Amino acid sequence: MVRRIFWMAVGAGATVWAMNKANEAVHRLTPDSLSGTAARGALHLGDAAKRFARDVRAGMAEREEQLRGDLGLDGTAVVEPARRRAPLRGEPTYRAISAAPGSPAAALPPPRRTRTTPQAIDSPSRRLDELPGSPNRKDH
């Protein structure tokens, strides 16, 4: 008789435990519970994104301060303004550029007074009509 009472109590306990687990599962799968879980997850994700953005901003500010110190932009370095060199007397303030071969400007006679300056651009050794894909090629 004691054995029967014992097994009946074990069966009743197992039934109560199984019913509680089933009720919890049903409650977890209701639409209200699912939407609440999703909302809590979204809030948690938003908080994590805010913490990440705050950490990135702090790192950017730290790196910017380091770069400013390295470049002397934080007021520790004295930067002198660039001095502009005044042109010498008689030196032109422009750079001479030769006309492209085949252009109307190349047919003009050269100026009477040609002057070579250190700033004159040397003409390339190859002509434009020799370059592949040039619109001035004579073979088409």
Side-chain angles (χ1 to χ4, degrees), residues 34-111:
L34 290 175
S35 65
T37 303
R40 281 190 299 276
L43 288 174
H44 178 63
L45 182 63
D47 290 341
K50 284 180 186 177
R51 283 193 305 271
F52 175 72
R54 187 176 53 235
D55 291 344
V56 167
R57 274 192 228 108
M60 285 174 28
E62 180 181 335
R63 179 65 176 150
E64 183 178 359
E65 193 63 34
Q66 181 185 11
L67 288 173
R68 285 184 180 275
D70 291 347
L71 296 174
L73 298 175
D74 58 352
T76 58
V78 177
V79 179
E80 294 182 13
R83 295 183 183 168
R84 297 184 71 178
R85 182 181 68 87
L88 299 175
R89 202 166 95 193
E91 181 181 352
T93 57
Y94 58 88
R95 295 178 65 170
I97 298 175
S98 62
S103 70
L108 295 175

